[in-house]
Amino acid sequence: MENNSAFLVMDIQGPMVDGLANKEEYLQKIQRTIDAARANNIPVIYVVVGFRPNMPEFNLRSKGLRALRDTGTADALVNPIPVLPLTETDVVVTRRRLSAFPGSDLEIILRAKNIDHLVLSGISTSGVVLSTVREAVDKDYILTVLSDLCADRDEEVHRILTEKVFPRHADVLSSTEWRSQLRSA
């Protein structure tokens, strides 16, 4: 595996993880993959969605942001932190929109580390993962999507994205397949 890769762990935060049917299994699997990335000197970058107190970033024309506000989820996203333990080498990037890029310093960090290959995981497949894939393609990143470390409330949407849409732009692997590639490199 190239050492110009980074593993993006997106939206592994309380409100999102709590909505998973297989929460504990998912967290164990993603932790194994994080540990493998660290063992192979691949930077782990946690991307969290978050807002400032009083949420000045909110534009009520956005249906998604209104839904976050109306359900009370937005309040839990002020000063967000991932639910998994961080190490001193991990980076946390706060995003304010669907993609991991706009309104965050993700691209600055990637350029500083000469990263051109992104390995993506996150909740939700149809939200942050899809938006980040689309923007990363336009920014000429090499992409790998770990299908079993992406989750969506709609299983059919997840399946269509990971089996039909993402393969047009990225290598789509299971976390086990990706970890095997790391061991064989």
Side-chain angles (χ1 to χ4, degrees), residues 131-159:
S131 295
T132 301
V133 164
R134 292 289 197 200
E135 190 159 351
V137 165
D138 283 342
K139 294 178 181 294
D140 298 320
Y141 286 97
I142 302 163
L143 299 174
T144 301
V145 175
L146 303 182
S147 58
D148 60 325
L149 295 184
C150 297
D152 201 278
R153 290 179 187 210
D154 187 323
E155 283 299 317
E156 180 67 6
V157 169
H158 171 82
R159 186 188 67 73

Side-chain angles (χ1 to χ4, degrees), residues 28-107:
Q28 290 170 4
K29 193 181 299 186
I30 201 162
Q31 187 63 60
R32 280 193 302 272
T33 307
I34 289 167
D35 293 343
R38 289 177 183 146
N40 285 275
N41 297 313
I42 295 171
V44 175
I45 301 174
Y46 289 88
V47 177
V48 295
V49 61
F51 305 102
R52 293 174 185 90
N54 300 321
M55 300 171 201
E57 307 87 356
F58 263 60
N59 183 324
L60 295 180
R61 290 187 302 255
S62 168
K63 184 176 181 180
L65 291 176
R66 275 196 325 268
L68 285 176
R69 183 203 61 195
D70 294 346
T71 60
T73 303
D75 294 332
L77 300 177
V78 173
N79 301 318
I81 55 169
V83 298
L84 296 169
L86 302 173
T87 67
E88 62 206 28
T89 61
D90 296 336
V91 175
V92 178
V93 170
T94 301
R95 70 181 179 85
R96 313 245 185 240
R97 292 295 183 259
L98 277 175
S99 170
F101 289 98
S104 79
D105 58 357
L106 176 61
E107 198 158 13

